[in-house]
Amino acid sequence: QVQLVESGGGLVQAGDSLRLSCAASGFSFSSSTMAWFRQAPEEDPGKEREFVAAIIWAFNTNYADSVKGRFTISRDNAKNTVYLQMNSLKPVDTAVYYCAARRGSIAKKSDEYVYWGQGTQVTVSS
């Protein structure tokens, strides 16, 4: 059974940092692309989730322009866990953050990901 379990969200002030974690099980983690997406609370749930970052293998990464230089995605294949280090957080980063997985290369569209976690809330106050 595939599981993706996110943790690490919370309420912080602008300029603070948070590290999200996503523990994976039930599929071949080390050979999968792992990604983070987000969805702001005021958005229509039917709207496509916003791509944040993705990683395949150890160091092949891709970031949304809005988070480049502030967020870092990494993975620990021994622990089947992917991380998102978020620095210099802004109120516009407020969203539910989702972990996702797919076989194959990095993709930026949410409908190309097969497995999803339940999400973790990140709220950044000004």
Side-chain angles (χ1 to χ4, degrees), residues 17 25 118 125:
S17 298
S25 61
Q118 82 289 349
S125 65

Side-chain angles (χ1 to χ4, degrees), residues 58-112:
F59 301 112
N60 188 349
T61 58
N62 197 293
Y63 295 92
D65 288 342
S66 59
V67 306
K68 271 181 191 174
R70 299 189 299 124
F71 291 10
T72 302
I73 189 170
S74 61
R75 66 193 296 160
D76 184 339
N77 288 340
K79 295 182 178 179
N80 281 8
T81 300
V82 62
Y83 305 97
L84 185 68
Q85 177 66 43
M86 305 186 295
N87 298 330
S88 303
L89 281 161
K90 306 174 182 178
V92 294
D93 296 317
T94 295
V96 176
Y97 283 72
Y98 297 90
C99 175
R102 71 186 299 268
R103 300 292 297 273
S105 60
I106 287 176
K108 294 186 177 183
K109 294 183 66 67
S110 59
D111 59 7
E112 296 193 61

Side-chain angles (χ1 to χ4, degrees), residues 8 13-14 21-22 30 34 41-43 60 63 67 73 79 87 93 104 116 121 125-126:
Q13 293 188 327
S21 300
C22 172
S30 61
M34 300 300 299
E42 67 275 11
E43 287 183 347
N60 188 349
Y63 295 92
V67 306
I73 189 170
K79 295 182 178 179
N87 298 330
D93 296 317
W116 289 88
Q121 176 71 48
S125 65
S126 56

Side-chain angles (χ1 to χ4, degrees), residues 11-25:
L11 171 63
V12 297
Q13 293 188 327
D16 285 351
S17 298
L18 274 177
R19 188 175 83 152
L20 306 183
S21 300
C22 172
S25 61

